[in-house]
């Protein structure tokens, strides 16, 4: 295999795919690994994204996992390391963005890195170090109420400084607007002042593309997925359709959905309204001990072959609350995830080779049940959601899979995604 140029460590699963998607669009061939692989990468790739689930775990564990990922990525030849976090800088007072960054810097022997979650395509912009989500500051965006990572301060210099003993500075928009030379000069100035991490302003893709060349040769970059659009050029890689090329699609088509988000509810309705075969699964029957997965697979066998089938637990908020009231939200969630994952596996065993999974947690459960350890990233279906290709124990010939997190995708996603694959 060729050496990977860019090695990425993502602190959550769907965030990893989001980053991979941006790199593919910028021309890199990308493979995403679930967790730190135990063997060398067995594929050609310009960038590798190791997906961890380290955003809210204890910081020592997050550091240990991130360092293991770093070591593996270096062994694959990665010349630059990209630590990817959420575009809303999701972290707790403990971290883990600051502590993981410090640990990676130490392991790489480097004394300077940048930090910016700016992702203008998704309306995340940074100005004077303050993070905006759409038209409002981070702490007015709803993120102040997040159950795990409430973000109550929009000033990222302060937020990051609270997580690290390293000095944190700012490369502000006036500098970024002037381009590479000015950014490099500002980095030199900050380094001379003892600053080790600099938050970088960016309010447009043009800013990110101006930032990119100034990051050439920097051993560690930390960012959301936005900065990725400006990096491939540093390695002589230009956008091309080749990067997104996957093997030809084959086999049966299916959708499993455990997402109850607004967009997914609309997507399920759209599919049903079009008269396509869909089966709802009832969490109460799972709780009563009925083998709902076996029932669903028997139903699917009778409907597959003429186009996609949909098996879903997707429900409106009132119905979800009623189920959660009866079963408890954690128990309901786990039971439904296990059932949908068993259905996904059964579908693949019955010849499905084009599979849509809707729901972030649901995706994690399905990928695990399918035994998928790495995926090649293909073309984007909708922002943040690409088709992927993976080999699995039940699909040694490979299958196409897309993992759609809750609120992503247009209303006709379940139809349009398959059409794109066959185009
Ligand atoms: P999203 O990406 O939309 O947040 P997730 O898959 O991450 O979707 O989360 C949805 C959660 O809701 C999962 O734990 C899933 O098992 C659970 N769930 C799905 N359907 C139902 C339902 N009808 N009642 C209760 N919980 C459900």
């Amino acid at each position: 295999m060729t050496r990977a140029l860019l090695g990425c460590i993502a602190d959550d699963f769907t965030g990893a795919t989001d980053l991979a998607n941006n790199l593919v669009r910028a021309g890199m061939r990308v493979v995403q690994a679930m967790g730190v692989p135990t063997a060398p990468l067995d594929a050609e790739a310009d960038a590798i994204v190791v997906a961890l689930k380290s955003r809210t775990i204890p910081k020592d564990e997050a550091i240990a996992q991130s360092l293991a990922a770093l070591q593996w990525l270096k062994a694959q030849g990665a010349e630059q390391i990209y630590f990817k976090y959420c575009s809303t800088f999701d972290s707790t007072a403990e971290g883990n963005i600051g502590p993981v960054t410090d640990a990676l810097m130490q392991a790489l022997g480097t004394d300077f890195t940048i930090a910016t979650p700016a992702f203008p395509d998704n309306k995340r912009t940074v100005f004077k170090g303050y993070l905006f989500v759409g038209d409002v500051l981070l702490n007015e965006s709803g993120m102040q109420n997040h159950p795990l990572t409430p973000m109550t301060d929009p000033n990222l210099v302060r937020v990051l400084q609270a997580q690290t003993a390293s000095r944190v500075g700012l490369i502000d928009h006036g500098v970024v607007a002037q381009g590479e030379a000015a950014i490099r000069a500002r980095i030199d100035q900050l380094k001379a002042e003892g600053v080790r991490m600099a938050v970088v302003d960016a309010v447009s893709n043009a800013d990110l593309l101006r930032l990119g060349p100034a990051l050439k040769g920097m051993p560690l970059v930390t960012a959301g997925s936005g900065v990725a659009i400006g990096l491939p050029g540093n390695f002589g890689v230009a956008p091309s359709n080749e990067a997104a090329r996957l093997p030809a699609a084959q086999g049966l088509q299916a959708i499993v959905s455990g997402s109850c988000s607004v967009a997914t509810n609309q997507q399920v309705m759209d599919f049903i309204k079009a008269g396509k075969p869909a089966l709802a699964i009832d969490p109460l029957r799972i709780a009563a001990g009925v083998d709902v997965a076996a029932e669903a697979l028997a139903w699917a066998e009778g409907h597959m072959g003429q186009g996609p089938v949909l098996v879903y637990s997707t429900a409106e908020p009132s119905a979800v609350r009623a189920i959660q009231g009866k079963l408890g939200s954690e128990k309901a969630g786990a039971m439904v995830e296990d059932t949908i994952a068993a259905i996904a596996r059964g579908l693949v065993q019955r010849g499905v080779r084009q599979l849509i999974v809707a729901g972030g947690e649901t995706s994690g459960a399905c990928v695990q049940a399918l035994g998928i350890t790495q995926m090649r990233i293909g073309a984007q279906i909708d922002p943040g959601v690409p088709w992927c290709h993976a080999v699995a124990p039940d699909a040694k010939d490979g299958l196409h899979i897309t993992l759609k997190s809750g609120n992503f995708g247009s209303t006709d996603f379940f139809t349009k995604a398959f059409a794109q694959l066959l185009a």
Side-chain angles (χ1 to χ4, degrees), residues 6 57 73 77 101 115 157 165 274 359 376:
L6 190 63
I57 63 176
L73 287 165
T101 301
V157 175
R376 178 168 291 281

Side-chain angles (χ1 to χ4, degrees), residues 63-395:
I63 288 172
Q65 288 184 20
S66 303
L67 290 176
L70 170 68
Q71 202 177 17
W72 183 82
L73 287 165
K74 293 298 276 181
Q76 312 312 307
E79 293 172 12
Q80 186 171 43
I81 300 297
Y82 191 126
F83 171 38
K84 152 74 172 73
Y85 37 74
C86 189
S87 65
T88 40
F89 213 70
D90 296 15
S91 46
T92 66
E94 302 282 289
N96 291 329
I97 296 175
V100 168
T101 301
D102 273 318
L104 293 173
M105 287 176 78
Q106 192 185 5
L108 286 163
T110 183
D111 60 359
F112 189 85
T113 187
I114 60 135
T116 181
F119 189 12
D121 278 350
N122 266 357
K123 299 191 164 48
R124 278 30 165 194
T125 53
V126 181
F127 188 68
K128 302 284 176 192
Y130 285 80
L131 175 58
F132 289 82
V133 177
D135 297 329
V136 299
L137 286 166
L138 175 66
N139 60 320
E140 299 170 14
S141 69
M143 277 304 297
Q144 70 273 26
N145 301 318
H146 192 283
L148 300 175
T149 53
M151 301 302 292
T152 54
D153 185 352
N155 183 309
L156 299 181
V157 175
R158 270 195 310 254
V159 172
L160 186 54
Q161 189 64 83
Q163 298 178 16
T164 174
S166 295
R167 215 167 134 206
V168 181
L170 175 68
I171 302 176
D172 88 357
H173 192 254
V175 171
V176 175
Q178 293 173 52
E180 181 184 354
I183 298 168
R184 285 190 183 275
R186 176 68 177 149
I187 289 173
D188 288 342
Q189 183 192 3
L190 288 169
K191 276 182 170 174
E193 291 169 10
V195 168
R196 285 166 52 85
M197 301 178 191
V199 171
V200 185
D201 281 355
V203 299
S204 64
N205 281 351
D207 287 335
L208 293 174
L209 293 170
R210 274 190 281 269
L211 173 64
L215 303 178
K216 187 171 184 177
M218 191 177 278
L220 175 70
V221 169
T222 88
S225 66
V227 168
I229 69 171
L231 292 186
N234 291 344
F235 299 99
V237 174
S240 87
N241 293 336
E242 270 313 294
R245 190 178 293 281
L246 298 180
Q250 36 137 7
L252 300 171
Q253 302 168 325
I255 306 147
V256 292
S257 176
S259 161
C260 298
S261 297
V262 176
T264 311
N265 268 289
Q266 290 167 352
Q267 288 153 354
V268 168
M269 282 309 300
D270 185 75
F271 188 84
I272 294 170
K273 268 201 213 136
K276 303 199 169 119
L279 179 76
I281 59 171
D282 177 359
L284 292 180
R285 296 187 72 240
I286 307 173
V290 177
D291 192 345
V292 170
E295 283 181 358
L297 290 167
W299 170 85
E301 277 176 12
H303 288 86
M304 289 193 295
Q306 290 96 42
V309 298
L310 165 65
V311 179
Y312 65 100
S313 67
T314 305
E316 296 288 344
S318 56
V320 173
R321 272 196 300 274
I323 299 285
Q324 289 175 333
K326 287 189 182 124
L327 303 176
S329 47
E330 236 171 78
K331 186 174 165 208
M335 267 180 8
V336 173
E337 282 168 34
D338 287 351
T339 303
I340 292 188
I343 294 168
R345 180 152 190 223
L347 288 168
V348 170
Q349 286 167 340
R350 285 161 180 75
V352 168
R353 292 292 180 273
Q354 302 172 39
L355 180 67
I356 298 176
V357 184
E361 293 299 322
T362 307
S363 291
C366 288
V367 163
Q368 201 172 20
L370 288 167
I372 292 174
T373 55
Q374 66 182 55
M375 315 189 292
R376 178 168 291 281
I377 310 297
Q380 169 174 303
I381 307 162
D382 270 323
V385 201
W387 271 114
C388 307
H389 188 263
V391 172
D394 294 316

